[in-house]
Amino acid sequence: MRPLTDEETKIFFEKLSKYIGENIKLLLDRPDGCYCFRLHRDRVFYVREDMMKHAGNVSRKNLISFGSCFGRFSKGGKFRLHITALDFLAPYAKYKVWLKPSAEQQFVYGHHVMKSGLGRITENTPQYQGVVIYNMNDLPLGFGVAAKSTQECRHTDPMTLVAFHQADIGEFIRNEDNLV
């Protein structure tokens, strides 16, 4: 368990800013205490500072997890967000996509979002921007990347992809061994 290096912090915050923009500081300075990000075995954990100090008393090889896992760094140095970060990203999301009830199951099974399943989309969403995917009852289902901007979505046919799948709540069941 260690703090992120400058390069890791840059890569990590760039990824987070695709989804929540400048709201990253709201994750760190919360009214219920100070939180920080720590790296352990290529995974980035979001943890309260007093809990981090308690986790420091456990040896590295015995420490499996602490706090909430936001994602992991690949061997190539890229960062991939895990679905376990959804509860923290959803309240601060800049751009959102709502799915029709008929498209929810397809998204939770790991498929991309088509225009026919699009219920609503946040105004002025740019292409290739990170989006949080919701159902029509405002329950966060996962996150992805906008394949089309809001303006392009209005004029496309129903079988066009409008959001690429990144992670969904169904991953808890499909990949439970790898999510630690």
Side-chain angles (χ1 to χ4, degrees):
M1 168 180 72
R2 65 169 175 80
L4 279 70
T5 64
D6 291 339
E7 184 65 25
E8 291 168 342
T9 303
K10 179 180 174 244
I11 293 169
F12 176 62
F13 282 175
E14 282 177 357
K15 181 65 101 169
L16 278 184
S17 68
K18 286 181 84 171
Y19 293 94
I20 62 176
E22 296 297 319
N23 293 332
I24 296 172
K25 46 190 156 197
L26 297 175
L27 284 175
L28 299 173
D29 297 325
R30 292 177 33 175
D32 59 339
C34 289
Y35 285 73
C36 60
F37 294 105
R38 290 291 183 259
L39 186 77
H40 181 65
R41 297 183 183 170
D42 293 330
R43 286 182 168 74
V44 176
F45 291 92
Y46 178 63
V47 63
R48 207 170 58 221
E49 285 186 356
D50 61 333
M51 292 299 293
M52 180 208 34
K53 291 176 184 171
H54 291 299
N57 294 330
V58 179
S59 69
R60 283 188 178 193
K61 71 175 193 173
N62 292 336
L63 185 64
I64 295 172
S65 177
F66 62 100
S68 297
C69 182
F70 258 54
R72 67 182 299 267
F73 281 98
S74 67
K75 291 181 180 170
K78 295 184 179 183
F79 185 78
R80 178 165 163 77
L81 279 171
H82 284 185
I83 191 61
T84 51
L86 180 64
D87 291 336
F88 300 101
L89 297 180
Y92 304 117
K94 287 174 42 177
Y95 301 105
K96 301 175 183 180
V97 170
W98 288 268
L99 298 181
K100 293 178 182 175
S102 59
E104 285 179 37
Q105 185 176 15
Q106 289 300 314
F107 180 76
V108 173
Y109 283 171
H111 299 284
H112 301 305
V113 178
M114 290 193 208
K115 167 84 178 342
S116 61
L118 183 68
R120 299 190 319 233
I121 188 169
T122 307
E123 282 296 318
N124 301 322
T125 302
Q127 188 175 15
Y128 305 123
Q129 180 66 43
V131 293
V132 176
I133 313 286
Y134 290 85
N135 67 4
M136 293 306 275
N137 297 325
D138 285 332
L139 176 74
L141 299 175
F143 45 86
V145 175
K148 303 274 184 200
S149 67
T150 304
Q151 293 298 330
E152 292 171 328
C153 286
R154 291 188 178 130
H155 305 293
T156 61
D157 64 272
M159 297 308 288
T160 304
L161 292 178
V162 294
F164 298 118
H165 176 272
Q166 295 288 312
D168 63 79
I169 57 176
E171 284 185 29
F172 281 122
I173 296 170
R174 292 193 312 268
N175 299 330
E176 65 183 312
D177 295 337
N178 300 330
L179 284 177
V180 179

